[in-house]
Amino acid sequence: MRMQYAKAYLDGVHALLNRLWETQQDAINKAIEAMAESVASGGVVHIFGCGHTQVLGLEVWYRAGQPAFMSPLFNENLWPYNGPLLGSAMEKLEGFGELIFEAHDARSGEVILVLSNSGRNAAPVEVALKAKERGLTVVAITSMDYSTKVSSKHSSGKRLFEIADITIDNCGPMGDALLSVPGVGPKVGPVTTILNAALLDAMLVELNARLAARGVEPPVFTSANLDADLSKNVEYVRRYAARVRFYHG
């Protein structure tokens, strides 16, 4: 078999990654500069997503090659493993995102990355709104193809990109899935997890480089599976334990 659809999917992902880089460099650069300013001043970088987008918080938190100053707004009720219907309902429940943010230690002058492909549901909209009220720079990572074609499900009438200070279009398609395959009704092959992860990783690589250029040591974790001195990992967790709540378990 030629695996034509597998190849078509990978080709499509490559094309979207190229489009993301070609079209979003200005917004990406602004977001990196905002994060660099905050971290160099002693701040942390917050990240929030719902459902499968919450996985992107794991991608950047307490992981080899990633900085210790990432502070995710995880919430058990939004994880799909608690039941997809529950998680989906909680994402749409007005007032829930506000409660999540108010319980989080986020400070004026810091940066929060809010990820939502549709940008329409209550939780990400409320987190963005409350973050702006508190004086944070809000960076939206969203699909503009998706978000501009749907209405808000929040009483404010706003979608995520209409709240954010900086919006990065992840270039994902409306509905997330990429390919039409004969004999399959819906499109298949979701792409935004790959696009979002690649984007975030690229941004943090550049952020670490810019911090080092400023004379600020980037607190980057070393893999615990290397035969190496891991004392820095312990030091970094201790350094940020007062700000990053999930370092406490």
Side-chain angles (χ1 to χ4, degrees):
M1 301 183 82
R2 293 190 300 129
M3 296 193 294
Q4 68 182 87
Y5 295 108
K7 184 176 187 306
Y9 175 78
L10 292 175
D11 287 345
V13 169
H14 291 155
L16 290 171
L17 284 171
N18 286 334
R19 184 191 304 171
L20 194 165
W21 177 248
E22 290 165 0
T23 65
Q24 300 302 303
Q25 289 184 46
D26 184 56
I28 292 169
N29 185 59
K30 288 178 181 177
I32 293 168
E33 275 299 296
M35 290 189 288
E37 286 292 330
S38 175
V39 173
S41 300
V44 299
V45 176
H46 310 273
I47 183 167
F48 176 78
C50 300
H52 290 90
T53 308
Q54 202 165 192
V55 171
L56 280 306
L58 283 174
E59 172 68 19
V60 301
W61 178 71
Y62 193 60
R63 180 170 185 177
Q66 301 287 33
F69 51 70
M70 299 302 297
S71 181
L73 281 74
F74 294 139
N75 186 276
E76 285 284 320
N77 296 287
L78 295 173
W79 286 109
Y81 61 65
N82 284 321
L85 297 180
L86 173 63
S88 181
M90 296 304 291
E91 182 179 1
K92 298 175 176 65
L93 179 64
E94 195 150 335
F96 189 56
E98 181 174 339
L99 290 173
I100 293 171
F101 184 79
E102 291 294 355
H104 189 73
D105 183 7
R107 302 177 185 178
S108 179
E110 294 182 333
V111 177
I112 184 168
L113 309 172
V114 183
L115 293 95
S116 173
N117 293 317
S118 72
R120 70 187 311 202
N121 289 321
V125 166
E126 287 182 346
V127 167
L129 286 170
K130 297 306 293 184
K132 287 205 71 168
E133 285 182 17
R134 199 176 290 183
L136 279 78
T137 297
V138 176
V139 178
I141 299 178
T142 189
S143 164
M144 293 300 287
D145 181 49
Y146 204 150
S147 193
T148 56
K149 294 175 181 175
V150 295
S151 60
S152 174
K153 290 190 174 183
H154 188 257
S155 60
S156 68
K158 292 185 180 296
R159 293 158 292 184
L160 178 59
F161 75 89
E162 296 171 302
I163 302 164
D165 299 291
I166 302 166
T167 296
I168 301 173
D169 180 7
N170 63 24
C171 296
M174 184 175 184
D176 201 353
L178 185 63
L179 294 178
S180 295
V181 174
V184 181
K187 286 186 174 182
V188 299
V191 293
T192 51
T193 299
I194 294 173
L195 298 173
N196 287 335
L199 170 63
L200 288 169
D201 289 342
M203 290 171 67
L204 292 180
V205 166
E206 181 69 23
L207 173 57
N208 286 321
R210 294 190 188 185
L211 289 173
R214 290 174 179 230
V216 177
E217 179 193 0
V220 175
F221 288 117
T222 299
S223 172
N225 294 310
L226 292 175
D227 295 325
D229 181 5
L230 302 177
S231 58
K232 282 281 191 178
N233 287 359
V234 177
E235 176 191 330
Y236 295 150
V237 169
R238 288 175 178 165
R239 181 188 305 178
Y240 287 98
R243 296 296 321 280
V244 181
R245 60 175 293 192
F246 291 100
Y247 284 151
H248 299 286

